[in-house]
Amino acid sequence: MIPHLLSFLTFHPLVGSVVIALLPNSQKEAFKWIAVFFCACQVVVSAVVYYFFSTQTADFQMVEKADWITLSMGSLGTVSIDFILGVDGISLPLIMLSSVVMMVGVFSSFSIAKREKAYYSLYLLLTTSIMGCFLALDFFLFFLFFEFMLLPMYFLIGLWGGPRREYASIKFFLYTLVGSLLILIVMIGLYISVIDPYESELAKTMVHTFDLRLMTDGRNYLPDSILTPSGEITLLGVPSRMLAFWLLFIGFAIKLPIVPLHTWLPDAHVEAPTPVSVVLAGVLLKIGGYGLLRIAYPIFPDAAAEYAFTLAILGVISIVYGGFNALAQNDLKKMIAYSSVSHMGFVVLGIASLTAEGLNGAVYQMVSHGILSSLLFLLVGVLYDRTHNRLIDNYRGLISYMPLYTIITGITFFASLGLPGFSGFIGELFTLMGGFQSDRLPVWLTALGTLGIILAAAYFLWTFQRMFFGKPWAKNPTELPFLSDLNRLEKWMLIPLVLMSFALGIFPGWLFSLSDKTVSHLLKIFE
Amino acid sequence: MNSSLLFLIPLLPLIGFIINGIGFRHVPKSLAGVIGSAASLGAFAISILAWNAFEGQPQVVKLFDWISIGQLTIPFAFQIDQLSLLMLMVVTGVGSLIHIYSMGYMHHDEGFGKFFAFLNLFLFFMLLLVMGSNYVIMFIGWEGVGLCSYLLIGFWNKVTNYNNAARKAFIMNRIGDLGFLLGIFMIIQTFGSVEYLEVFAKAANGSFSINDTVIVTITALLFVGAMGKSAQIPLYTWLPDAMAGPTPVSALIHAATMVTAGIYMVIRSNVLYSLAPATLGVVGGIGLLTAVVAASIGLYQNDIKKVLAYSTVSQLGYMFLALGVGAYTSAMFHVMTHAFFKALLFLGAGSVIHAMSDEQDIRNMGGLRKHLPVTFWTFFVATLAISGIFPLSGFFSKDEILAHVFEHNQIMWGIGLFTSMMTAFYMFRLLFVTFFGEFRGTHDQKHHLHESPATMTIPLIILAVLSAAGGLLNIPHVLGGGESLAHFMAPLFELSKQVNPDLFEGHLEHSTEYILMGVSVGAAVLSILFAYNLFMGKKVVPAADKDVTGFPKVLQNKYYVDEFYEAVFVNPMRKLSDLLYSFGEFLIDLVVNGTGRLVQFLSGRLRLLQTGETGFYVFAMVLGILVILAWNLLLK
């Protein structure tokens, strides 16, 4: 075992970020390769984490803990914020996914041609905050990373985006900020309710804590505190714990996103440059689902169980509403953005089911969607790089100009619409199966959710047919000479992702074996 | 036989797909066809070995545990028993013939290698479907063959109509697949397993009564899947459109194998269906309805492949009718004979189309008998077989179905008989109009008329022999036969007999059976004579589309079902999606941006307080003090 492995995983891109910031502006090539180096390094380190990870236990592994901020507040007790990192079966798949997506994103960034220094520096900063988010076991630390993601994202969309980038980035920023505020409120509420029993014993005073692990244990709550598990405290007539759960849920739902809190997503995607879209869809959305699994559900299981039905409805609405909207799009990127909304709805349904199938399926679906949405946005980028145009109606018969591009798009579309053999199928199968098995959810709800599968077939195939089949044609014939097939860099980005989706689809047991223990441990509190 | 050899059966076509698929444009044409056909023939050879090595007990060969989650384990395993062996023989046997045929038929196509790659991929998924030992593997194969069907229908992807047909096929199948999927979920919930042997053992252990709600629901959901794949009402309209694909595809996928997957599924789940006579009633009813409706549409079609397509839908309906009355063996028998004669009909049609330079309208054909003798004679055999003329294969399988239906319900038998008369009529109409009379095509076409090459005619001849002699598989007692197929398949239905013995009771007198046979052959001959009189005697040529009026016009336009679906499902879906996008998203953003504006507005008002003037601040402070004083002194 290597000490401080997780810290290294989290913080080493920060070094790259600083190095890039310090280099003179003229070193444009160096920025790229430094970023590539640090992202590659992250892939390797996350592989090492996987190597040392044991699937035999549900506990957090490779935990690092250090006192960070300790303030004595006299009679009010002691403020204690710890630096805790750890990995378990829910975060490990997402960590590996992030490192891969960030790596692919760097290569895709090669087409960025202005202010490279700032770009790559921010990109690496983003990488650190994402990893931190998935690894932090202290709520305060988590929140810090969570908020810190906003900053680079805001600039990456706002500075390198399309024509309406300012509107999109401010919308993204405000939406997410509102979510963060709600999370912040709950975090404070939890903080004043929970004490650290060991530290309190030692210090002979009440030591409050942000430790997420302690927050899951009802015994650590002060008896009369606002979020006490006895559930007697009400705010505005609502039990405080229910309220707190909903605040957390909304906070994460914005990120996920869940209809009707999703409208920032299509705008952000349309304006964001390709690599930022890739990171956004591939990784950032997953933090919403991760937040539910790591924070909202283990800390407020009572509320999660009580509102399972409502949450599942929200998931199903996202699936269906997102699907219908995807069907109506003429902008390829927007179509894919809405398909993301639809596919992330499966995650919510799976989580809400509170079954082993559903929760494992949700984790799986997050990984699968991370790979597939990255692919989809990269594919849009391929066309957009050539023509600066991505309207579906503007093209026909692209297969004649770009056969390999067509094949890979076809495979990705089929994988995304849930064809067996690819990861999308397993994710949808198990989230739906979970919904179906759950005794908390009515059967018709899941049946309604399956509508999303038909819609996905409809919008993906309709798009595929319109753009790639038929007689070769482009609305603007001057674009035709630019429609060259995939170049080497693009192949190197796309094909490995296709293979990953394929491998996961053929051997889903591998991913399930990572998450299964942790998930069954989590489910125990719901029995 | 070493059981690991079994894995080669699907693996060989997969390898063929990989070679031809990845090597497309690099593998030379001559090699691509050979690789594809060899993969199929290899699978056929191993299937024969497996057949010979079979000892009567179902054998499950496990490769690995595919998924293990919570309480549920889904192994990746194959099950070899009577049913999968029969399907293996049909799929790989007929499949091989069609591969060989395709080497000739697709010779001039630039996508030759791609075609064989897809064909092999189809075989792979189809074999997975019939060999899997559980519902999840069946589902994987099920979706996989759907993919291949999509790829091959839209094989010539420059033509928009073909692409539309491909998409329609996939989406309509998806609707059925959802039923299947929900059925699987329910099986998992009820039995805690998806393995056939476990599920059926648990279903038959006495804890479920006849027509138990759970079992009825499961079987009904599974049947929705079968409706999609096997083109039954209401999910049948994709199959006639699917004729857009190259003709060998129509023969292999849309006649002989894939579309019979629904029947396979019901037979596979016969224990569940036997427990749910209510569902069987629906299955039989829908099958009969589909058989009649499709046959009636077939009467007025003029595209050689469309006639065959509706005939396929109708014959599939027949098979479901058989399933509906519990005649599982008869359904399987008809699956097999139908695979022979319908594949032959399609390949014959392909040979005609090949000779006619891609002409498909029978009104522009005629007199082809002289130019395409092998095609004609084999086509003739198949037409006799499908019409149920003694002693060709179709006679035996159809007669068996009708006899079982007669035991069950005589009105249904009457409708079935009527359907079979229509079948004989439209098939002989097709034969007469295409092969007899004067040639009505262009001069150019006449000049090019030629018999197809040996790669195409040899499969025709083999299939003609099978179509003629296929009945030998299951000659009924009444004709002195041994019913060997029924004996072979009997172990499959033991559990069914145990849970619902009534379903298998009922026995016809020999004299009744003779009469039934006589009636059905007589009826077929009658309609053949009618067709003869019309198309040979009066030399009628089907009218041009614009001259068709009245009910025939309704038939020619397929009862306007496509238009109905378009108006009732497709367009409203489109409208809804547009509405949700334009209005729903607008509304949400109105609230979001409105909130933003409100905050801006309020902050703008608040900002006015920050004047920066000391005087104003002092004034505000005094005001504040006054208010507090007033509160404390006066109001408290």
Side-chain angles (χ1 to χ4, degrees):
Chain A
M1 187 76 83
I2 303 165
H4 302 298
L5 191 58
L6 298 184
S7 296
F8 184 69
L9 177 62
T10 309
F11 291 109
H12 79 266
L14 209 55
V15 177
S17 179
V18 173
V19 169
I20 290 176
L22 292 178
L23 280 176
N25 260 329
S26 53
Q27 301 291 322
K28 290 193 161 66
E29 278 300 301
F31 301 148
K32 285 181 193 174
W33 294 107
I34 291 171
V36 169
F37 171 78
F38 280 95
C39 286
C41 194
Q42 203 167 39
V43 173
V44 174
V45 178
S46 59
V48 174
V49 172
Y50 167 73
Y51 177 77
F52 285 116
F53 184 83
S54 159
T55 54
Q56 302 307 313
T57 168
D59 292 337
F60 289 102
Q61 300 178 36
M62 298 166 230
V63 175
E64 294 171 31
K65 184 173 176 186
D67 284 337
W68 185 19
I69 300 169
T70 312
L71 265 182
S72 178
M73 304 279 281
S75 62
L76 290 171
T78 308
V79 175
S80 152
I81 301 172
D82 294 328
F83 175 85
I84 319 173
L85 299 179
V87 63
D88 70 354
I90 293 173
S91 52
L92 181 65
L94 295 170
I95 285 164
M96 292 193 286
L97 170 75
S98 310
S99 61
V100 169
V101 171
M102 297 311 285
M103 176 86 199
V104 174
V106 163
F107 282 116
S108 163
S109 303
F110 283 12
S111 57
I112 297 286
K114 61 173 185 181
R115 288 183 259 190
E116 289 92 340
K117 177 174 169 171
Y119 179 88
Y120 287 106
S121 189
L122 284 171
Y123 189 90
L124 288 176
L125 191 62
L126 183 64
T127 311
T128 286
S129 30
I130 289 170
M131 278 297 163
C133 233
F134 284 132
L135 290 170
L137 295 182
D138 184 273
F139 205 157
F140 191 87
L141 190 63
F142 171 86
F143 189 76
L144 211 69
F145 283 122
F146 188 79
E147 283 295 277
F148 218 81
M149 277 186 313
L150 267 180
L151 175 85
M153 271 318 273
Y154 173 75
F155 287 114
L156 287 174
I157 298 172
L159 289 179
W160 286 271
R164 292 180 74 222
R165 55 181 180 260
E166 275 159 23
Y167 169 75
S169 59
I170 197 79
K171 198 170 176 183
F172 165 77
F173 189 84
L174 289 181
Y175 247 115
T176 326
L177 198 67
V178 170
S180 307
L181 267 179
L182 304 180
I183 297 171
L184 179 67
I185 294 169
V186 180
M187 182 173 96
I188 294 169
L190 280 168
Y191 176 74
I192 50 180
S193 305
V194 179
I195 55 161
D196 184 335
Y198 318 104
E199 297 271 333
S200 303
E201 189 74 20
L202 279 176
K204 304 271 185 260
T205 168
M206 282 191 303
V207 180
H208 288 274
T209 179
F210 283 106
D211 192 331
L212 286 170
R213 296 169 300 176
L214 296 173
M215 287 176 176
T216 56
D217 190 341
R219 288 168 301 184
N220 297 334
Y221 285 75
L222 291 171
D224 294 320
S225 60
I226 181 152
L227 293 174
T228 176
S230 69
E232 291 150 352
I233 314 284
T234 59
L235 286 171
L236 310 167
V238 185
S240 58
R241 281 180 70 83
M242 302 294 149
L243 198 67
F245 174 77
W246 276 106
L247 293 180
L248 270 186
F249 180 79
I250 294 171
F252 291 123
I254 289 174
K255 222 75 246 143
L256 203 59
I258 289 175
V259 176
L261 304 171
H262 68 287
T263 56
W264 62 271
L265 183 80
D267 284 320
H269 270 309
V270 168
E271 300 308 323
T274 303
V276 178
S277 275
V278 168
V279 173
L280 184 58
V283 184
L284 288 195
L285 305 189
K286 276 75 212 171
I287 289 171
Y290 175 76
L292 291 180
L293 287 171
R294 171 67 69 237
I295 299 174
Y297 271 60
I299 296 181
F300 299 106
D302 39 353
E306 184 165 340
Y307 293 112
F309 177 62
T310 321
L311 299 177
I313 284 189
L314 288 172
V316 170
I317 288 177
S318 290
I319 294 173
V320 177
Y321 184 90
F324 271 116
N325 270 296
L327 203 56
Q329 299 310 314
N330 187 27
D331 180 333
L332 185 58
K333 212 170 183 186
K334 228 169 182 176
M335 188 280 275
I336 292 166
Y338 279 107
S339 88
S340 272
V341 175
S342 182
H343 283 129
M344 292 306 283
F346 285 102
V347 175
V348 182
L349 177 63
I351 293 177
S353 77
L354 291 173
T355 57
E357 289 88 350
L359 285 180
N360 281 307
V363 174
Y364 190 100
Q365 172 76 354
M366 286 201 274
V367 174
S368 160
H369 178 261
I371 295 170
L372 291 172
S373 62
S374 301
L375 261 172
L376 289 167
F377 283 111
L378 286 173
L379 288 165
V380 181
V382 168
L383 184 62
Y384 192 73
D385 280 349
R386 284 164 178 61
T387 63
H388 292 280
N389 182 343
R390 42 163 203 256
L391 291 187
I392 297 168
D393 281 349
N394 283 0
Y395 300 97
R396 244 173 264 156
L398 283 179
I399 190 170
S400 302
Y401 300 104
M402 310 166 80
L404 185 63
Y405 177 61
T406 307
I407 291 170
I408 293 188
T409 309
I411 296 176
T412 309
F413 276 12
F414 271 101
S416 302
L417 64 80
L419 188 81
F422 291 94
S423 58
F425 167 68
I426 307 286
E428 287 170 5
L429 179 75
F430 278 86
T431 45
L432 288 171
M433 196 190 288
F436 199 87
Q437 309 296 63
S438 172
D439 32 351
R440 291 182 171 88
L441 307 179
V443 170
W444 59 262
L445 190 62
T446 311
L448 202 63
T450 57
L451 205 64
I453 300 185
I454 297 183
L455 286 169
Y459 60 74
F460 276 121
L461 293 186
W462 177 224
T463 305
F464 193 52
Q465 178 186 336
R466 282 190 288 169
M467 293 188 79
F468 292 92
F469 292 156
K471 294 217 165 56
W473 175 86
K475 191 171 188 181
N476 181 1
T478 56
E479 287 171 357
L480 290 178
F482 297 103
L483 293 174
S484 53
D485 212 347
L486 301 178
N487 61 36
R488 188 178 299 169
L489 179 66
E490 287 161 345
K491 281 184 208 165
W492 274 100
M493 288 190 291
L494 295 168
I495 294 174
L497 287 175
V498 170
L499 292 179
M500 270 182 236
S501 171
F502 182 64
L504 279 178
I506 301 291
F507 302 108
W510 173 74
L511 196 58
F512 284 134
S513 72
L514 294 183
S515 60
D516 196 31
K517 270 275 178 333
T518 309
V519 162
S520 16
H521 180 72
L522 174 59
L523 281 174
K524 273 190 197 122
I525 46 176
F526 292 97
E527 275 160 11
Chain B
M1 188 182 106
N2 190 337
S3 61
S4 60
L5 264 183
L6 286 176
F7 291 105
L8 276 181
I9 299 177
L11 196 61
L12 285 175
L14 184 64
I15 293 170
F17 161 70
I18 292 170
I19 296 173
N20 278 332
I22 294 180
F24 177 52
R25 284 179 216 284
H26 303 295
V27 178
K29 232 180 187 182
S30 49
L31 196 62
V34 173
I35 292 172
S37 307
S40 177
L41 281 167
F44 181 52
I46 302 170
S47 303
I48 293 176
L49 289 180
W51 179 284
N52 288 333
F54 182 63
E55 284 161 354
Q57 287 304 311
Q59 183 193 3
V60 176
V61 189
K62 190 165 116 177
L63 194 56
F64 56 90
D65 267 339
W66 192 48
I67 294 173
S68 182
I69 199 175
Q71 306 298 316
L72 177 72
T73 302
I74 302 171
F76 194 93
F78 292 148
Q79 177 169 334
I80 295 300
D81 62 3
Q82 290 85 352
L83 183 57
S84 48
L85 281 171
L86 287 172
M87 287 303 285
L88 275 182
M89 299 311 271
V90 174
V91 171
T92 57
V94 177
S96 297
L97 291 174
I98 293 171
H99 273 74
I100 294 167
Y101 176 94
S102 303
M103 287 204 282
Y105 188 83
M106 297 298 287
H107 190 69
H108 301 295
D109 200 283
E110 56 176 328
F112 188 78
K114 187 172 79 168
F115 182 79
F116 273 92
F118 289 167
L119 224 49
N120 271 185
L121 185 66
F122 166 77
L123 267 193
F124 165 71
F125 280 121
M126 190 69 208
L127 292 167
L128 218 55
L129 195 162
V130 298
M131 290 176 75
S133 74
N134 60 56
Y135 283 103
V136 174
I137 296 185
M138 197 207 282
F139 187 77
I140 292 172
W142 193 270
E143 288 263 299
V145 291
L147 166 74
C148 299
S149 165
Y150 169 86
L151 292 172
L152 286 162
I153 295 169
F155 185 73
W156 290 306
N157 57 38
K158 291 210 168 63
V159 187
T160 306
N161 274 347
Y162 293 4
N163 297 324
N164 286 339
R167 188 163 45 90
K168 181 175 174 183
F170 194 87
I171 292 174
M172 219 166 217
N173 267 295
R174 265 264 148 140
I175 297 172
D177 293 354
L178 286 193
F180 191 176
L181 197 64
L182 290 174
I184 295 178
F185 289 159
M186 204 146 169
I187 287 174
I188 295 173
Q189 198 175 32
T190 315
F191 302 105
S193 170
V194 284
E195 282 282 297
Y196 300 140
L197 293 179
E198 271 181 62
V199 170
F200 302 147
K202 281 183 189 160
N205 70 3
S207 47
F208 297 97
S209 55
I210 301 284
N211 275 339
D212 189 291
T213 327
V214 177
I215 304 284
V216 171
T217 318
I218 290 175
T219 48
L221 286 169
L222 291 181
F223 180 58
V224 172
M227 279 178 189
K229 196 104 297 176
S230 297
Q232 296 298 293
I233 289 173
L235 299 177
Y236 72 100
T237 59
W238 65 271
L239 185 57
D241 287 12
M243 297 300 127
T247 309
V249 172
S250 312
L252 178 62
I253 301 184
H254 303 123
T257 54
M258 182 186 86
V259 289
T260 59
I263 291 113
Y264 165 79
M265 181 222 260
V266 175
I267 300 180
R268 176 56 83 199
S269 320
N270 68 76
V271 181
L272 302 179
Y273 279 90
S274 299
L275 270 170
T279 317
L280 280 181
V282 176
V283 172
I286 290 203
L288 186 62
L289 187 66
T290 309
V292 183
V293 168
S296 68
I297 297 175
L299 295 175
Y300 277 92
Q301 297 302 309
N302 295 316
D303 179 322
I304 186 168
K305 286 179 74 180
K306 282 275 160 75
V307 179
L308 296 178
Y310 280 103
S311 155
T312 306
V313 176
S314 170
Q315 296 299 312
L316 291 167
Y318 243 87
M319 298 173 205
F320 280 105
L321 174 62
L323 296 174
V325 297
Y328 302 118
T329 308
S330 317
M332 188 63 206
F333 189 24
H334 203 55
V335 164
M336 298 172 74
T337 60
H338 178 258
F340 301 147
F341 58 69
K342 191 50 71 59
L344 174 53
L345 287 169
F346 269 114
L347 295 186
S351 179
V352 168
I353 296 166
H354 196 64
M356 291 285 300
S357 321
D358 294 333
E359 176 63 65
Q360 300 199 14
D361 194 324
I362 54 172
R363 287 169 298 195
N364 299 332
M365 297 178 182
L368 296 181
R369 177 174 45 115
K370 288 161 271 176
H371 305 279
L372 306 166
V374 182
T375 307
F376 165 69
W377 281 108
T378 50
F379 201 90
F380 182 55
V381 170
T383 308
L384 284 175
I386 194 176
S387 305
I389 301 299
F390 182 83
L392 287 95
S393 61
F395 163 77
F396 292 97
S397 56
K398 211 182 244 188
D399 182 73
E400 214 184 291
I401 293 176
L402 283 175
H404 279 288
V405 174
F406 187 82
E407 283 169 22
H408 190 79
N409 184 326
Q410 278 135 10
I411 296 173
M412 287 171 92
W413 172 81
I415 302 173
L417 186 71
F418 179 60
T419 308
S420 108
M421 286 175 73
M422 288 198 281
T423 308
F425 176 80
Y426 66 67
M427 283 312 301
F428 272 87
R429 168 181 178 266
L430 184 66
L431 184 83
F432 292 143
V433 176
T434 309
F435 289 99
F436 291 86
E438 290 299 309
F439 185 71
R440 294 178 296 272
T442 63
H443 190 73
D444 249 13
Q445 285 173 328
K446 179 152 188 163
H447 192 68
H448 282 123
L449 282 180
H450 59 281
E451 181 58 282
S452 301
T455 46
M456 288 166 70
T457 49
I458 291 173
L460 290 180
I461 294 167
I462 298 175
L463 282 170
V465 172
L466 288 170
S467 305
L472 294 175
L473 287 171
N474 202 24
I475 295 179
H477 288 306
V478 60
L479 294 178
E483 299 199 341
S484 29
L485 184 68
H487 280 295
F488 180 68
M489 290 181 73
L492 290 170
F493 312 121
E494 259 165 29
L495 280 179
S496 286
K497 279 189 180 135
Q498 196 182 311
V499 296
N500 187 1
D502 296 347
L503 192 64
F504 296 86
E505 268 176 20
H507 187 68
L508 292 176
E509 293 296 316
H510 276 195
S511 55
T512 323
E513 282 197 51
Y514 283 125
I515 294 172
L516 288 180
M517 283 178 189
V519 170
S520 57
V521 172
V525 170
L526 210 65
S527 40
I528 293 169
L529 289 177
F530 182 55
Y532 183 84
N533 179 37
L534 211 58
F535 300 105
M536 296 297 285
K538 296 182 185 158
K539 300 210 183 302
V540 171
V541 174
D545 290 344
K546 61 176 166 42
D547 298 334
V548 182
T549 50
F551 190 59
K553 191 172 171 67
V554 176
L555 287 182
Q556 197 173 41
N557 285 301
K558 316 149 209 163
Y559 295 106
Y560 298 99
V561 172
D562 276 324
E563 287 78 3
F564 174 76
Y565 283 175
E566 190 78 19
V568 175
F569 299 110
V570 181
N571 286 338
M573 289 275 277
R574 289 257 161 78
K575 292 240 172 62
L576 181 62
S577 71
D578 286 339
L579 187 77
L580 284 179
Y581 179 54
S582 52
F583 190 66
E585 292 293 274
F586 169 77
L587 215 64
I588 294 172
D589 261 353
L590 199 68
V591 176
V592 171
N593 292 339
T595 315
R597 297 250 163 71
L598 187 70
V599 172
Q600 262 181 356
F601 171 79
L602 291 178
S603 63
R605 293 296 92 92
L606 275 175
R607 196 169 53 197
L608 295 181
L609 294 176
Q610 314 293 322
T611 56
E613 286 172 28
T614 328
F616 178 74
Y617 289 154
V618 170
F619 172 70
M621 207 168 103
V622 171
L623 209 66
I625 292 171
L626 282 177
V627 169
I628 293 169
L629 276 178
W631 175 263
N632 279 338
L633 298 176
L634 305 174
L635 299 171
K636 246 186 168 175

